[in-house]
Amino acid sequence: MLDRVRALLAKAESTDFPQEADAFTAKAQELMARHRIDHALLVAASGERDRPVTRRVAVDNPYEAPKSLLLQVVAEANSCRAVWAKRFGFTTVVGFGADLDSTELLFTSLLVQATRAMTQAKTTTDEYGRNTTRSFRQSFLTAYASRIGERLSAAADEVGQEAAGSASGAQLLPVLAARDDAVRDAFEKQFPQLTHHTTTINNRQGWASGRAAADRAALHGRHAVAHE
């Protein structure tokens, strides 16, 4: 499954046609969501003891706050929880192993797509002649992450609703709820006290361009990132 997802995301990263990138990334997320459901049912039926694990993902400068936000929304769409340790330069993600694989894979691909779209976008100067590149890119990536979160959540909900309406739906819902509870408990045990870092949008052009890029990539104003 991961090989199929990697192949789809590689196509999304390489194409110059937004509609193709959209289709490839959406299909990859659908595969991951269906795999998560199938895996959860298999583990429940077999009686295996599957526990949440922890993984650290590096978040590099510059623009680490919106990059961390992107990782957070991807993690949430894949039934994981994430917290950014700013002073150490990484985000800790808690979830089941297969979900962590999906999260890291999709985050990396979306960041590649975002960076390419961001660097191709035109920036301007303000009324004082100052270059607005940094504020543009900060706002671009924040808007991109926010919109990607909306789209991934909608895609995951659609797959979940289809699965709930299937023959195994009655068995599925308590299984998924139990796994969500296990992830939440593991996360809260590791991070009993969190603060929230607020990202401020101060470049309207960057915000609008980032939202548009997220729509093309595939799948407000202020968004909170869980922060250790």
Side-chain angles (χ1 to χ4, degrees), residues 127-220:
E127 64 269 28
Y128 303 105
R130 295 175 299 195
N131 189 289
T132 60
T133 297
R134 182 169 182 82
S135 66
F136 175 92
R137 292 183 173 180
Q138 181 85 11
S139 298
F140 181 103
L141 288 173
T142 303
Y144 182 92
S146 177
R147 179 60 179 149
I148 286 294
E150 294 170 5
R151 301 198 70 184
L152 289 179
S153 178
D157 287 346
E158 183 177 350
V159 172
Q161 289 171 5
E162 290 178 4
S166 66
S168 58
Q171 179 188 4
L172 173 65
L173 295 180
V175 169
L176 293 182
R179 289 171 72 87
D180 287 343
D181 289 344
V183 171
R184 185 192 65 247
D185 291 345
F187 183 81
E188 291 178 350
K189 183 177 180 179
Q190 291 187 58
F191 305 103
Q193 294 182 323
L194 295 175
T195 59
H196 287 84
H197 174 86
T198 301
T199 299
T200 302
I201 302 302
N202 54 19
N203 188 302
R204 292 182 180 180
Q205 181 189 9
W207 175 264
S209 296
R211 295 276 297 186
D215 282 330
R216 293 194 301 270
L219 203 172
H220 290 282

Side-chain angles (χ1 to χ4, degrees), residues 69-97:
L69 175 58
L70 178 61
L71 178 53
Q72 179 178 306
V73 299
V74 172
E76 290 174 355
N78 287 282
S79 298
C80 300
R81 300 283 295 273
V83 59
W84 177 34
K86 181 180 180 179
R87 64 186 179 276
F88 298 120
F90 61 75
T91 289
T92 301
V93 187
V94 179
F96 290 93

